[in-house]
């Protein structure tokens, strides 16, 4: 029985159409997966960060504790304590000399273990201000009250016999790290991220395993490698987006901070987001490995198949 040319042509057209439909569906799915991962990666990282670091007092204090040795923080503390003390002292022509001496004495104190402990105490209280600002209904600035630090400074300087140290006033002296307007802007976002907890990050990993696994089982190794490459590209894009979000957030937070507090606020922000920046590099590296590895494996597999067909 002979097959007519028209029938053969119709079959070829049908096969071509089916292949085109599959290719279009595959491209659409790949694009959707790419966008989904690019969104899930930063979303998952941010929600886990809020849940595990910002909402946890011990982790919060541990993140900012090293700032006790940060030059910008030490200078800001020395400046504030000296300024408050000199308001209580009037020595005429000796004013500047005493100011300089007192400033150097306080600056020296900021290198001691006592200052480290006082800094941690101040930041443990500051974490309550963070929670109040993000949980409240009206804008409240997030500040670090240096009163515990000033008290410790005063005690140590008096014990060392520093002149006029006993006249240093121990009162609420604040460093602003987040303005009230920014607290209002961030409140809804933080509440949303807090409610999501670590589940977006878990969902991202589950999605990765399911997509690659299903593609490999249903359509073979090549499809699995292609899915892996898409996942890798999604991770790379997600890492880049997360880095951009951290940079934009830093700029917006510092916009409302007074100039005198900006260096310290920047140091605090960088300390708190250090884990996010680490996450950027880890996700970027994993994504690049998945992408390059999957593409390389597909090329090798294609070359081996071509060589086998020639033989």
């Amino acid at each position: 029985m002979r097959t007519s040319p028209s029938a053969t042509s119709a079959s070829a057209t049908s096969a071509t159409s089916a292949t085109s439909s599959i290719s279009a569906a595959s491209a659409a799915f790949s694009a959707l997966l790419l966008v989904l991962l690019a969104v899930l990666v930063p979303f998952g990282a941010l929600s886990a960060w809020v849940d595990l670091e910002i909402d946890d007092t011990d982790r919060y204090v541990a993140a900012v504790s090293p700032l006790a040795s940060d030059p910008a923080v030490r200078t800001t503390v020395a400046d504030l304590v000296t300024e408050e003390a000199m308001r209580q002292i009037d020595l005429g022509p000796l004013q500047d000399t005493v100011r300089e001496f007192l400033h150097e004495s306080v600056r020296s104190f900021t290198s001691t273990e006592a200052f480290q402990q006082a800094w941690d105490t101040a930041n443990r209280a500051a974490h309550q201000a963070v929670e109040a600002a993000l949980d409240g209904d009206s804008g409240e600035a997030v500040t670090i009250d240096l009163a515990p630090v000033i008290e410790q400074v005063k005690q140590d300087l008096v014990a060392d016999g520093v002149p006029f140290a006993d006249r240093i006033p121990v009162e609420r002296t604040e460093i602003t790290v987040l303005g009230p307007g920014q607290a209002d802007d961030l409140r809804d976002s933080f509440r949303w991220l807090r409610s999501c907890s670590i589940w977006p990050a878990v969902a991202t990993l589950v999605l990765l395993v399911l997509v690659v696994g299903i593609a490999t089982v249903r359509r073979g190794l090549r499809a699995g490698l292609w899915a892996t490459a898409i996942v890798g590209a999604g991770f790379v894009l997600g890492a880049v987006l997360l880095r951009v979000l951290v940079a934009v957030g830093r700029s917006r937070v510092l916009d409302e901070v007074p100039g005198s507090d900006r260096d310290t606020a920047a140091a605090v922000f960088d300390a708190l987001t250090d884990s996010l920046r680490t996450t950027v590099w880890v996700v970027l590296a994993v994504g690049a490995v998945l992408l390059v590895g999957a593409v390389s494996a597909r090329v090798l597999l294609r070359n081996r198949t071509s060589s086998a067909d020639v033989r």
Side-chain angles (χ1 to χ4, degrees), residues 1-224:
M1 180 176 179
R2 295 179 179 179
T3 303
S4 66
S6 60
T8 302
S9 178
S11 297
T13 301
S14 177
T16 301
S17 177
T19 301
S20 298
S21 298
I22 293 174
S23 298
S26 178
F29 176 75
S30 297
L32 177 63
L33 177 61
L34 193 65
V35 172
L36 187 60
L37 283 171
V39 172
L40 271 178
V41 166
F43 178 43
L46 287 170
S47 61
W49 172 69
V50 169
D51 183 65
L52 298 177
E53 187 160 322
I54 300 301
D55 272 353
D56 187 282
T57 302
D58 290 336
R59 288 194 178 99
Y60 178 94
V61 173
V64 298
S65 181
L67 293 180
S69 59
D70 185 274
V73 172
R74 294 176 60 191
T75 298
T76 300
V77 170
D79 290 346
L80 287 173
V81 173
T82 302
E83 186 63 29
E84 290 299 318
M86 295 310 297
R87 290 178 182 176
Q88 309 297 321
I89 302 171
D90 184 7
L91 298 175
L94 296 177
Q95 190 82 356
D96 290 340
T97 302
V98 173
R99 179 191 299 275
E100 183 178 350
F101 175 75
L102 186 57
H103 186 275
E104 287 303 315
S105 298
V106 177
R107 190 74 166 75
S108 177
F109 169 77
T110 59
S111 63
T112 65
E113 181 63 29
F115 173 71
Q116 176 71 69
Q117 295 174 358
W119 175 256
D120 289 346
T121 300
N123 278 285
R124 190 168 293 276
H127 184 255
Q128 298 176 1
V130 171
E131 292 183 320
L134 297 177
D135 289 337
D137 296 324
S138 60
E140 295 180 16
V142 176
T143 62
I144 300 175
D145 179 16
L146 295 180
V149 177
I150 295 173
E151 174 64 32
Q152 190 62 54
V153 169
K154 182 175 181 177
Q155 290 178 9
D156 279 54
L157 295 185
V158 169
D160 291 341
V162 175
F164 309 107
D166 60 323
R167 298 178 65 175
I168 296 176
V170 178
E171 56 189 28
R172 187 174 184 86
T173 304
E174 298 176 338
I175 298 176
T176 301
V177 295
L178 182 63
Q182 292 300 340
D184 278 341
D185 292 341
L186 294 174
R187 184 174 297 113
D188 290 339
S189 298
F190 268 84
R191 285 175 176 170
W192 188 44
L193 291 171
R194 178 183 294 154
S195 65
C196 291
S197 187
I198 63 170
W199 296 113
V202 174
T204 303
L205 296 177
V206 171
L207 179 65
L208 183 159
V209 174
L210 285 178
V211 167
V212 174
I214 292 174
T216 303
V217 171
R218 294 190 61 182
R219 300 181 58 195
L221 181 58
R222 286 187 179 180

Side-chain angles (χ1 to χ4, degrees), residues 266-278:
V268 170
F269 183 92
D270 290 341
L272 290 176
T273 57
D274 181 65
S275 60
L276 285 178
R277 292 194 300 277
T278 300

